[in-house]
Amino acid sequence: MTYIVSDNCIKCKYTDCVEVCPVDCFYEGENMLVIHPDECIDCGVCEPECPAEAISADTEAGVEKWLEINTKYASIWPNITQQAQPMPDAEKFDGEKGKFEKYFSEKPGEGD
């Protein structure tokens, strides 16, 4: 089992999860984070820290697409290990449906 980040992170990019991760397995895109599934130790400390509830176990139903996205982009986006400010208007986008189709960006973030 591993944890994955799903579409509710898009346009929010809270980094509370990054701060508590003991193995630094988060990677930063322009408008979301992903978890590297081969680096995640399945401790689960990140899940309750996410204000957008965008982190879940890969054993939950319907997350196969997100496991693929996390795997792909964790290998090309920069590592992020320190908490940063969320995206502008994060609260406005939190919970919006269809964010992947509307806003997902393949561009990398800055990392740290």
Side-chain angles (χ1 to χ4, degrees), residues 23-100:
V23 293
D24 300 333
C25 65
F26 282 88
Y27 291 81
E28 183 182 17
E30 179 181 42
N31 65 5
M32 77 172 293
L33 304 174
V34 293
I35 294 172
H36 196 302
D38 294 335
E39 296 174 4
C40 177
I41 60 171
D42 312 328
C43 67
V45 296
C46 60
E47 185 179 20
E49 295 299 318
C50 179
E53 298 181 0
I55 299 174
S56 58
D58 71 343
T59 55
E60 292 186 23
V63 300
E64 296 81 12
K65 166 187 172 179
W66 290 103
L67 180 57
E68 290 177 22
I69 288 168
N70 278 247
T71 302
K72 177 180 179 178
Y73 291 100
S75 67
I76 55 178
W77 286 349
N79 189 236
I80 182 170
T81 61
Q82 298 176 17
Q83 190 168 4
Q85 291 295 313
M87 296 198 74
D89 298 325
E91 290 180 11
K92 174 183 160 193
F93 290 99
D94 187 358
E96 182 177 330
K97 301 294 181 204
K99 288 169 45 169
F100 183 77

